[in-house]
């Protein structure tokens, strides 16, 4: 029986609770929420499962050692305290990612260099050979985190950020990160319970993530590689077993998922990405201007989109956001509409009162995820009917 060990899943600000819920639903043990991270326990199979399944995790780290250091000698000595030959051969490659919040160490580059020296020297002394650095495709990715004088050493189980799902080959001018898209969908309460529309779909990220949530398809099933596949204890059979077990839990979806974009190039990119993700049975994309459209389905509609708010995109902000509000009011009764914007000023022009506002970050931009509830008939009528 594999032993359980502590792991850390990193996430965006505002996604901690969703990630905690995801981990609990997957069966993680001893789950603890932090800031931009959630720690948990599981075995090697669960490490594979977490990387394959988590929609809102950016990386899964496996802490292996911690110590105190307030100068470069102590840092070197601490890193030398790990037996690196258990994790790496002399003919393999590695890379170090360092993050530093400390008055003792000013530069993450310096910390990376010092840690690299300690690892290389240990190999040289023991074997006469040394592993080399490969920043692009290392055999082992090591994460060093320094907070004041506390140094934490972890192995990066994921490799490239988990937002790199593997289905998106074509993007447009301001694509939304896949993890951010999945988190927004989960925050909006999307579970596949109704029809879905992204009326400004760009390269189709919301559409792909919405379909994977609705069908319970693992988020990273299309990904080419995880860092743990190069580890000494890599277990291909166990990995295949986990994949098969996850794929048996996928479910049917009985509504529609549709995307609009007025740019033909965006429509083509979205279609390509949806096809790459093997989701074309569930998703349709068409050339259409949201402002000329109307609700085309019966019953509830769940709408999530990422309108332009970037100065690189040539739009008249005030008019554009007013058109969003007008179109929702006039043409989309019975719709829960959610969108994210980093242009907080522009929200004033929508002309509707949001029923929810959630603070998030899109890259370094502070943003708001807002919800507008569009009732069947007028809101006043709805309340009068309920009161009778």
């Amino acid at each position: 029986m594999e032993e359980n060990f502590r792991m850390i899943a990193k996430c965006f600000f505002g996604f901690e609770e969703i990630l905690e819920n995801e981990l609990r639903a997957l069966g993680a043990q001893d789950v603890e929420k932090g800031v931009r991270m959630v720690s948990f326990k599981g075995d090697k199979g669960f490490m594979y499962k977490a990387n394959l399944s988590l929609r809102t995790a950016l990386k899964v780290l496996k802490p292996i050692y911690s110590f105190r250091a307030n100068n470069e000698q102590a840092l070197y000595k601490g890193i030398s305290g790990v037996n690196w030959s258990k994790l790496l051969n002399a003919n393999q490659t590695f890379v170090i990612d360092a993050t530093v919040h400390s008055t003792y160490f000013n530069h993450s580059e310096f910390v990376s260099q010092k840690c690299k020296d300690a690892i290389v020297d240990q190999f040289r002394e023991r074997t006469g050979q040394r592993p080399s650095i490969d920043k692009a495709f290392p055999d082992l990715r090591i994460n060093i985190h320094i907070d004041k004088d506390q140094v934490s050493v972890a192995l990066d189980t994921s490799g490239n950020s988990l937002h790199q799902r593997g289905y998106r080959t074509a993007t447009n001018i301001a694509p939304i990160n896949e993890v951010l898209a999945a988190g927004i969908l989960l925050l909006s309460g999307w579970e596949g319970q109704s029809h879905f529309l992204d009326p400004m779909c760009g390269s189709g990220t919301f559409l792909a993530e919405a379909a994977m949530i609705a069908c319970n398809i693992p988020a990273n099933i299309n990904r080419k590689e995880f860092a743990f596949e190069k580890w000494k204890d890599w277990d291909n059979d166990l990995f295949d077993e986990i994949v098969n077990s996850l794929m048996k839990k996928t479910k049917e979806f009985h509504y529609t998922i549709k995307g609009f974009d007025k740019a033909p190039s965006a429509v083509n990119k979205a279609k390509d990405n949806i096809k790459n993700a093997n989701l074309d049975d569930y998703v349709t994309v068409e050339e259409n201007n949201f402002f000329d459209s109307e609700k085309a389905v019966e019953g509830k509609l769940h709408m999530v989109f990422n309108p332009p708010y970037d100065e690189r995109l040539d739009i008249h902000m005030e008019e554009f956001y007013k058109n969003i509000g007008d179109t929702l009011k006039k043409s989309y009764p019975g719709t829960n509409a959610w969108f994210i914007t980093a242009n907080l000023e522009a929200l004033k022009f929508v002309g509707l009162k949001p029923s929810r506002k959630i603070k998030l970050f899109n890259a370094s931009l502070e943003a708001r995820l807002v919800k507008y509830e569009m009732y069947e008939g007028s809101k006043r009528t709805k309340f009068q009917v309920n009161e009778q």
Side-chain angles (χ1 to χ4, degrees), residues 118-373:
I119 295 168
V120 164
D121 291 350
Q122 186 187 94
F123 272 97
R124 216 186 259 120
E125 283 161 22
R126 291 180 183 179
T127 67
Q129 292 178 288
R130 52 150 290 181
S132 52
I133 295 289
D134 183 341
K135 290 182 179 178
F137 305 105
D139 295 309
L140 190 69
R141 192 172 274 276
I142 300 159
N143 187 281
I144 307 286
H145 185 272
I146 304 182
D147 186 20
K148 300 185 183 74
D149 67 345
Q150 188 64 44
V151 184
S152 305
V153 183
L155 304 182
D156 184 339
T157 77
S158 309
N160 288 338
S161 167
L162 291 175
H163 82 273
Q164 295 179 20
R165 306 277 205 231
Y167 65 77
R168 196 167 80 175
T169 52
T171 61
N172 56 347
I173 204 167
I176 196 160
N177 173 303
E178 294 87 330
V179 163
L180 182 59
I184 286 169
L185 288 163
L186 292 171
L187 280 174
S188 79
W190 172 249
E191 291 174 341
Q193 68 278 30
S194 67
H195 296 289
F196 180 93
L197 174 67
D198 177 351
M200 300 180 191
C201 71
S203 54
T205 310
F206 274 131
L207 301 173
E209 297 295 325
M212 288 196 287
I213 291 169
C215 301
N216 199 33
I217 295 167
N220 290 304
I221 199 70
N222 296 299
R223 196 174 152 104
K224 301 289 180 282
E225 177 179 82
F226 298 95
F228 54 67
E229 293 179 49
K230 292 182 173 179
W231 289 9
K232 285 187 169 189
D233 68 350
W234 161 240
D235 187 334
N236 203 116
D237 292 341
L238 175 61
F239 183 77
D240 288 346
E241 202 179 300
I242 300 287
V243 169
N244 291 335
S245 140
L246 287 169
M247 291 310 286
K248 278 183 190 153
K249 291 175 184 159
T250 58
K251 58 189 189 197
E252 281 304 307
F253 174 65
H254 302 292
Y255 298 97
T256 58
I257 295 177
K258 185 176 274 193
F260 297 159
D261 205 286
K262 65 176 191 176
S265 60
V267 170
N268 291 334
K269 285 171 187 171
K271 284 180 175 174
D272 285 349
N273 292 335
I274 296 303
K275 193 174 179 195
N276 291 339
N278 302 307
L279 296 169
D280 29 6
D281 285 352
Y282 305 103
V283 179
T284 56
V285 188
E286 58 188 50
E287 193 181 322
N288 199 349
N289 184 340
F290 173 49
F291 301 147
D292 301 330
S293 73
E294 55 185 35
K295 188 180 173 199
V297 292
E298 291 293 316
K300 270 282 175 206
L301 176 65
H302 196 94
M303 185 190 289
V304 181
F305 61 110
N306 175 34
Y309 45 81
D310 191 301
E311 51 282 0
R312 289 174 300 174
L313 300 165
D314 186 22
I315 57 168
H316 186 275
M317 206 58 76
E318 186 175 328
E319 186 187 340
F320 190 86
Y321 277 76
K322 181 184 180 299
N323 284 342
I324 290 177
D326 289 349
T327 306
L328 289 174
K329 240 182 315 199
K330 184 177 87 228
S331 306
Y332 282 88
T335 298
N336 282 338
W338 294 77
F339 68 81
I340 184 173
T341 182
N343 191 326
L344 308 186
E345 199 57 32
L347 281 177
K348 295 173 185 171
F349 303 113
V350 175
L352 299 167
K353 190 173 168 53
S355 57
R356 282 196 71 191
K357 265 189 191 183
I358 301 169
K359 180 179 171 181
L360 296 174
F361 285 87
N362 186 358
S364 60
L365 295 172
E366 186 181 316
R368 291 291 180 277
L369 175 62
V370 288
K371 177 188 185 184
Y372 298 97
E373 292 181 56

Side-chain angles (χ1 to χ4, degrees), residues 25-181:
L26 270 186
Q29 305 293 308
D30 199 8
V31 181
E32 286 179 25
K33 188 173 64 174
V35 178
R36 291 191 169 91
M37 55 82 80
V38 180
S39 77
F40 61 98
K41 280 186 175 171
D43 59 11
K44 181 163 51 173
F46 193 82
M47 179 179 80
Y48 295 170
K49 185 166 147 183
N51 274 282
L52 280 160
S53 305
L54 292 174
R55 302 185 193 284
T56 54
L58 293 162
K59 274 185 185 290
V60 177
L61 303 177
K62 179 184 179 182
I64 56 167
Y65 191 53
S66 64
F67 59 93
R68 292 188 181 283
N70 55 15
N71 58 49
E72 60 180 276
Q73 289 78 20
L75 177 64
Y76 181 96
K77 188 179 173 191
I79 297 296
S80 302
V82 178
N83 182 359
W84 290 102
S85 60
K86 283 188 171 178
L87 304 166
L88 195 64
N89 294 329
N91 60 352
Q92 288 186 298
T93 60
F94 71 100
V95 73
I96 292 170
D97 300 317
T99 45
V100 180
H101 307 285
S102 170
T103 51
Y104 304 111
F105 303 98
N106 301 328
H107 296 291
S108 54
E109 277 296 320
F110 171 80
V111 167
S112 297
Q113 187 63 38
K114 208 70 201 164
C115 295
K116 184 211 81 169
D117 292 346
I119 295 168
V120 164
D121 291 350
Q122 186 187 94
F123 272 97
R124 216 186 259 120
E125 283 161 22
R126 291 180 183 179
T127 67
Q129 292 178 288
R130 52 150 290 181
S132 52
I133 295 289
D134 183 341
K135 290 182 179 178
F137 305 105
D139 295 309
L140 190 69
R141 192 172 274 276
I142 300 159
N143 187 281
I144 307 286
H145 185 272
I146 304 182
D147 186 20
K148 300 185 183 74
D149 67 345
Q150 188 64 44
V151 184
S152 305
V153 183
L155 304 182
D156 184 339
T157 77
S158 309
N160 288 338
S161 167
L162 291 175
H163 82 273
Q164 295 179 20
R165 306 277 205 231
Y167 65 77
R168 196 167 80 175
T169 52
T171 61
N172 56 347
I173 204 167
I176 196 160
N177 173 303
E178 294 87 330
V179 163
L180 182 59

